Amino acid sequence: MKGRKLRHRLTALLLAFAMIFTAVAVQPNCDAFAATKVKTPVATHGRLSVKGADLVDAKGKKFQLRGISTHGINWDVGYPYVNKAAFKTLRDDWGVNAVRLAMYTSEYNGYCAGGSKAALRNQIYKGVKYATDLGMYVIIDWHILSDGNPMTQVAEARRFFATMAKKYKKQKNIIYEICNEPNGCDWKIVKRYASQVIKVIRKYDKKAIVVVGTPTWSQLGSDGTHNEVADNPNPIKGYKNIMYSLHFYANEWSHNQYLPAKLAYARKKGIAVIVTEFGMSAASGDGGISKAYTGKWLTRLNKANVSYFCWSLSNKNESCSLLSSKTKKTSRWKTTELSAAGRYIRAKYRARKKALGSRA
């Protein structure tokens, strides 16, 4: 009897030790899981707004978007990268806090050029959902280019943005870019277009940031020396949270020669500027890349708290693409699978996030 009781006691003790050991062994894994939870950009900073020439977060503190733009989501060099794993890679590995969904309007298979409107809207819906799930900001980009004059497609733009604003009016992370790169038209025409489209958006979404493209190819004026956007007080009257786009390509002589002064002038005049597209190459997207001028631009933009989005998340065989043309993966890229531009931008974005720390 005594031996049997002793064996039972020993068995109970061993079982108790085993349970304690298991609990202790499992605990670090639970802690590790908790530690992997990411405080997302949107959870940290909330709804963005415009204050003077600056973008600010929900607490009124200056905030900078570090974004990546897709290539055209109506083409196979763009839409494969509209996936959650890709956006998560950009957020967690690159230090990106926003994505831009570029939807061409008049190019091949574009929204106003024979493309399936329903399919393209669905691509936007998916991209917005992935960004939202990951707590990232997202630009819905009406990517006019060859159409030049935004009034060409104003009726379609009104319908499109009415649909988007109805759908996303309660979300905090949506930014509407209503005309990518107006060209071949003056600021008066762009203003007329913008006033119509913003009115539609504001009917449903009262607070979201709206980005207005500027002449010429979003260079804040008709040529290197003109500043008609900044020289026009209250360029788009009657609305809040409006920003104006500046695009540059770092290996383009005229962009480096004229645009820095135009940016500084616009901000001095109280104009909120956002760089919704830049590249390391020439404006064609190809040829050599300039690390030197890209570095100067990023330093300038960081100092001024100006947000920026790099073109483009693609493996298209051109120098501005951020992925190597040999890369088939659509997420979780190794540095060896990036292009020269991709490796440079990833390093710069990571460094910027680290420098900002809790403010990133």
Side-chain angles (χ1 to χ4, degrees), residues 3 17 30 68 77 117 121 131-132 140 167 195 202 207 222 234 269-270 300 309 317 332 334 340 343 348 356:
F17 280 126
C30 294
I68 298 293
V77 293
K117 290 182 171 63
R121 286 195 301 269
T132 302
I140 299 172
K167 185 174 180 67
S195 296
R202 286 293 184 253
K207 297 180 179 179
S222 56
N234 302 313
K269 299 280 280 189
R300 179 182 299 119
F309 290 72
N317 189 22
R332 302 183 181 92
K334 300 176 182 177
R343 291 190 294 273
K348 286 292 186 180
L356 288 172

Side-chain angles (χ1 to χ4, degrees), residues 279-354:
M280 296 183 68
S281 65
S284 66
D286 215 352
I289 62 172
S290 175
K291 293 181 180 180
Y293 279 112
T294 302
K296 288 180 180 179
W297 267 106
L298 294 181
T299 298
R300 179 182 299 119
L301 298 175
N302 290 340
K303 185 177 181 180
N305 187 51
V306 174
S307 300
Y308 44 79
F309 290 72
C310 188
W311 182 272
S312 69
L313 183 61
S314 177
N315 70 346
K316 186 179 180 182
N317 189 22
E318 59 183 15
S319 55
C320 68
S321 296
L322 298 174
L323 306 177
S324 165
S325 59
K326 297 178 181 179
T327 298
K328 304 304 180 186
K329 289 164 57 178
T330 58
S331 64
R332 302 183 181 92
W333 307 284
K334 300 176 182 177
T335 54
T336 53
E337 295 169 319
L338 306 180
S339 66
R343 291 190 294 273
Y344 183 87
I345 292 298
R346 175 180 176 269
K348 286 292 186 180
Y349 276 38
R350 284 166 62 92
R352 179 60 174 166
K353 181 180 180 182
K354 183 178 180 180

Side-chain angles (χ1 to χ4, degrees), residues 49-56 62-63 243 267 271-272 304-306:
S49 61
V50 175
K51 184 178 181 180
D54 284 303
L55 186 66
V56 299
K62 291 182 181 181
F63 181 69
M243 303 188 79
R267 285 184 54 79
I271 302 298
N305 187 51
V306 174

Side-chain angles (χ1 to χ4, degrees), residues 125-154:
Y125 297 155
K126 289 195 298 183
V128 171
K129 183 181 187 305
Y130 301 146
T132 302
D133 288 348
L134 293 164
M136 302 173 75
Y137 297 95
V138 55
I139 291 180
I140 299 172
D141 167 30
W142 183 255
H143 202 86
I144 70 163
L145 187 61
S146 65
D147 27 356
N149 184 338
M151 289 298 293
T152 304
Q153 312 289 2
V154 66

Side-chain angles (χ1 to χ4, degrees), residues 70-301:
T70 69
H71 208 302
I73 61 172
N74 45 310
W75 299 329
D76 61 3
V77 293
Y79 69 75
Y81 305 98
V82 181
N83 70 78
K84 191 172 182 178
F87 294 176
K88 188 175 188 296
T89 302
L90 293 175
R91 186 193 70 178
D92 296 348
D93 184 52
W94 291 44
V96 168
N97 58 20
V99 292
R100 178 185 188 235
L101 305 172
M103 186 188 72
Y104 281 87
T105 52
S106 289
E107 274 63 32
Y108 171 74
N109 208 34
Y111 196 82
C112 306
S116 168
K117 290 182 171 63
L120 288 168
R121 286 195 301 269
N122 192 50
Q123 284 292 320
I124 295 288
Y125 297 155
K126 289 195 298 183
V128 171
K129 183 181 187 305
Y130 301 146
T132 302
D133 288 348
L134 293 164
M136 302 173 75
Y137 297 95
V138 55
I139 291 180
I140 299 172
D141 167 30
W142 183 255
H143 202 86
I144 70 163
L145 187 61
S146 65
D147 27 356
N149 184 338
M151 289 298 293
T152 304
Q153 312 289 2
V154 66
E156 288 283 15
R158 285 167 56 91
R159 286 191 286 270
F160 174 81
F161 282 107
T163 299
M164 296 296 150
K166 284 180 188 177
K167 185 174 180 67
Y168 297 120
K169 61 186 177 183
K170 294 183 180 180
Q171 292 197 198
K172 299 178 180 180
N173 63 327
I174 307 298
I175 298 169
Y176 304 103
E177 184 173 8
I178 62 175
C179 49
N180 166 60
E181 289 185 351
N183 59 88
C185 60
D186 62 24
W187 177 229
K188 290 181 181 179
I189 291 174
V190 178
K191 257 204 324 185
R192 186 158 70 244
Y193 165 85
S195 296
Q196 292 187 40
V197 176
I198 294 171
K199 184 178 180 180
V200 169
I201 293 173
R202 286 293 184 253
K203 181 178 179 181
Y204 306 102
D205 192 331
K206 308 297 184 183
K207 297 180 179 179
I209 302 288
V210 177
V211 180
V212 180
T214 62
T216 296
W217 292 283
S218 284
Q219 294 181 48
L220 298 175
S222 56
D223 61 30
T225 58
H226 284 77
N227 294 282
E228 51 264 49
V229 177
D231 282 333
N232 187 333
N234 302 313
I236 307 295
K237 295 181 179 180
Y239 299 104
K240 296 180 179 180
N241 294 332
I242 307 298
M243 303 188 79
Y244 301 87
S245 63
L246 169 65
H247 292 180
F248 71 86
Y249 279 80
N251 211 22
E252 198 72 46
W253 177 86
S254 62
H255 292 193
N256 297 313
Q257 180 70 18
Y258 298 117
L259 297 187
K262 295 180 78 169
L263 169 64
Y265 182 78
R267 285 184 54 79
K268 185 178 180 180
K269 299 280 280 189
I271 302 298
V273 178
I274 180 171
V275 176
T276 53
E277 183 178 317
F278 78 91
M280 296 183 68
S281 65
S284 66
D286 215 352
I289 62 172
S290 175
K291 293 181 180 180
Y293 279 112
T294 302
K296 288 180 180 179
W297 267 106
L298 294 181
T299 298
R300 179 182 299 119
L301 298 175

